[in-house]
Amino acid sequence: MEIVRTPDKFFANLKDYPYEPCYTTIKTHDHTDLRIHHIDEGPENGPLLLCLHGQPVWSYLYRKMIPLLNQEGIRVIAPDLPGYGKSDKPATREDYSYQRQVDWMGQWLEANDLKNLNFFGQDWGGLIGLRVIANQPERFDRVIISNTGLPYRPDVPQEIVQKVKDFRDNAKTPTLPEMAKKLRTTDKDQGLSFAYWQKYCWETEDIPIGFMMSSMLERKRSKLITMLDLLFINLGLKNISPFQTELGRAYAAPFPDKSYKMGPRAMPSQVPTMPDDPSLEAQKKAWDFFETFEKPFLCAFSDNDPVTRGADRQFLKVVPGAQGQPHCSVERGGHFIQEEKPEEISSIISSFITST
């Protein structure tokens, strides 16, 4: 397996991210060394909270929550998924199957021998983390999820399957504005909107990750500044754009050029939205497990995330440990609730840990 590693200099002087790196090396299926980074902050004997991020971000996403949780006596462990942050980045599309990502983080968990864990996962952090929990339930005491899911769709009508596949195979690559507009909508075919995101990410070799995160989270920026920043990106000058913000630079830091971006490019296409997905059987087994999961399980989703809206309903319906818990909807939390509502989601997590 070919691996790339982002040089440390690209992480220098990031605002509000003073954390010391911790590294664990695991072996891949072909015995390649894969180094996974995590941060470990808070009181040594405090309750352990494992926080997993999604795509296209990294553990920087948790920088606002970590001090708040530490103040409540909670020790926070936040890894970078392989392909992100300071972790090694496998270089080919095939490396990023859903199963391999579950296997990698399972090996990381075993290598660090973490136990009595509280889990928080959002986006791909939930998709991967929930599968890891199903494989190693004895290591976890509680589960909190937000804006994520455990996709399992064996009964998608054939006409919808064909429509999505035709779009993936034959439509032109959507532009960034086209993709963003479509992703904000919900459509009756339950797949085409997300297919825009999948197609954009895979067919755009140099995804402007910093710009995307900045434009999504820093809405007070003027439209003119945003347009000028996008102009620099379109001219291939994103790394010297004078309009890039500190937040944009931080989210772009792990990806100095397109050779480091295979993870963010490949992973959206691994979300199992179709009935012929190779991970379908593993998803079913995971749902079978959670239908018997009696430990405390909490959903705290945003009320305005078009990607995952409603994904909490199945957990609330079938997970025994979810019954009677103080599930909540976070007002205007956005997709990246860690950025938009760090105080609120941190309070929800700490209250749940101390009260159950």
Side-chain angles (χ1 to χ4, degrees):
M1 179 184 290
E2 181 184 354
I3 298 287
V4 294
R5 179 177 297 173
T6 305
D8 289 341
K9 66 180 182 180
F10 290 100
F11 299 103
N13 303 316
L14 294 183
K15 184 180 180 181
D16 300 326
Y17 193 83
Y19 307 117
E20 288 295 317
C22 306
Y23 294 104
T24 306
T25 299
I26 64 170
K27 292 288 186 181
T28 66
H29 66 288
D30 64 353
H31 306 291
T32 301
D33 284 345
L34 181 69
R35 193 179 76 167
I36 298 176
H37 164 261
H38 71 275
I39 52 179
D40 185 345
E41 297 292 325
E44 183 176 351
N45 296 321
L48 282 172
L49 178 66
L50 173 62
C51 295
L52 288 192
H53 69 84
Q55 182 265 3
V57 295
W58 56 294
S59 57
Y60 181 82
L61 179 70
Y62 287 101
R63 74 198 180 284
K64 296 179 181 179
M65 293 175 58
I66 290 171
L68 300 172
L69 292 162
N70 289 167
Q71 289 172 13
E72 298 299 319
I74 296 171
R75 177 182 165 192
V76 179
I77 297 176
D80 292 333
L81 297 175
Y84 297 85
K86 297 182 179 182
S87 289
D88 283 350
K89 299 167 179 66
T92 65
R93 183 180 194 175
E94 293 72 24
D95 296 330
Y96 289 95
S97 71
Y98 193 167
Q99 186 61 55
R100 282 189 184 174
Q101 295 173 80
V102 172
D103 292 343
W104 291 335
M105 294 313 298
Q107 289 176 252
W108 172 86
L109 185 61
E110 291 176 355
N112 286 282
D113 196 25
L114 297 173
K115 300 175 182 176
N116 301 116
L117 287 166
N118 301 282
F119 173 76
F120 177 76
Q122 178 263 340
D123 193 85
W124 263 103
L127 270 73
I128 295 170
L130 290 170
R131 289 271 302 275
V132 172
I133 292 168
N135 292 338
Q136 302 186 51
E138 69 283 356
R139 295 184 182 274
F140 295 87
D141 291 345
R142 297 171 191 81
V143 175
I144 307 107
I145 58 171
S146 179
N147 302 342
T148 188
L150 193 58
Y152 175 63
R153 303 181 66 202
D155 301 319
V156 179
Q158 184 57 37
E159 61 269 23
I160 295 178
V161 172
Q162 191 56 48
K163 186 176 181 179
V164 171
K165 287 187 175 181
D166 182 63
F167 172 79
R168 290 175 177 173
D169 295 339
N170 301 313
K172 70 178 182 66
T173 304
T175 65
L176 179 56
E178 288 172 343
M179 177 276 295
K181 180 179 179 180
K182 189 67 175 179
L183 202 59
R184 287 193 297 267
T185 67
T186 55
D187 51 24
K188 294 182 180 179
D189 59 29
Q190 302 177 8
L192 192 56
S193 290
F194 192 70
Y196 270 72
W197 175 241
Q198 293 173 314
K199 189 174 182 69
Y200 172 80
C201 287
W202 176 243
E203 296 182 359
T204 305
E205 291 188 4
D206 200 5
I207 309 171
I209 292 171
F211 173 81
M212 289 195 303
M213 294 300 296
S214 176
S215 60
M216 181 188 304
L217 298 170
E218 299 179 300
R219 288 182 285 272
K220 292 183 179 179
R221 295 182 77 196
S222 71
K223 290 185 178 179
L224 176 60
I225 294 298
T226 300
M227 289 175 62
L228 291 171
D229 197 5
L230 184 59
L231 176 62
F232 270 74
I233 290 169
N234 291 337
L235 292 173
L237 303 172
K238 64 180 183 303
N239 291 329
I240 60 172
S241 170
F243 306 104
Q244 191 178 44
T245 65
E246 287 188 353
L247 183 140
R249 282 191 289 271
Y251 279 116
F255 313 106
D257 62 54
K258 62 185 180 182
S259 68
Y260 295 85
K261 296 183 179 181
M262 188 55 71
R265 287 183 59 203
M267 282 177 64
S269 297
Q270 297 297 323
V271 177
T273 58
M274 295 289 110
D276 60 349
D277 190 275
S279 64
L280 200 69
E281 184 59 30
Q283 295 296 89
K284 182 182 185 303
K285 289 180 180 179
W287 271 112
D288 290 343
F289 165 81
F290 280 107
E291 288 176 0
T292 67
F293 188 77
E294 297 183 349
K295 295 177 183 178
F297 191 111
L298 184 74
C299 293
F301 282 49
S302 299
D303 67 354
N304 64 333
D305 180 18
V307 179
T308 64
R309 186 185 293 122
D312 55 339
R313 294 173 190 157
Q314 188 69 5
F315 294 102
L316 301 182
K317 179 181 178 181
V318 307
V319 179
Q323 308 311 307
Q325 303 296 352
H327 307 290
C328 56
S329 177
V330 179
E331 185 177 357
R332 308 302 298 173
H335 183 62
F336 293 104
I337 196 170
Q338 303 95 322
E339 287 278 6
E340 304 270 28
K341 297 287 183 176
E343 295 89 357
E344 190 164 347
I345 191 63
S346 297
S347 177
I348 290 168
I349 292 169
S350 60
S351 295
F352 187 62
I353 290 174
T354 57
S355 65
T356 54

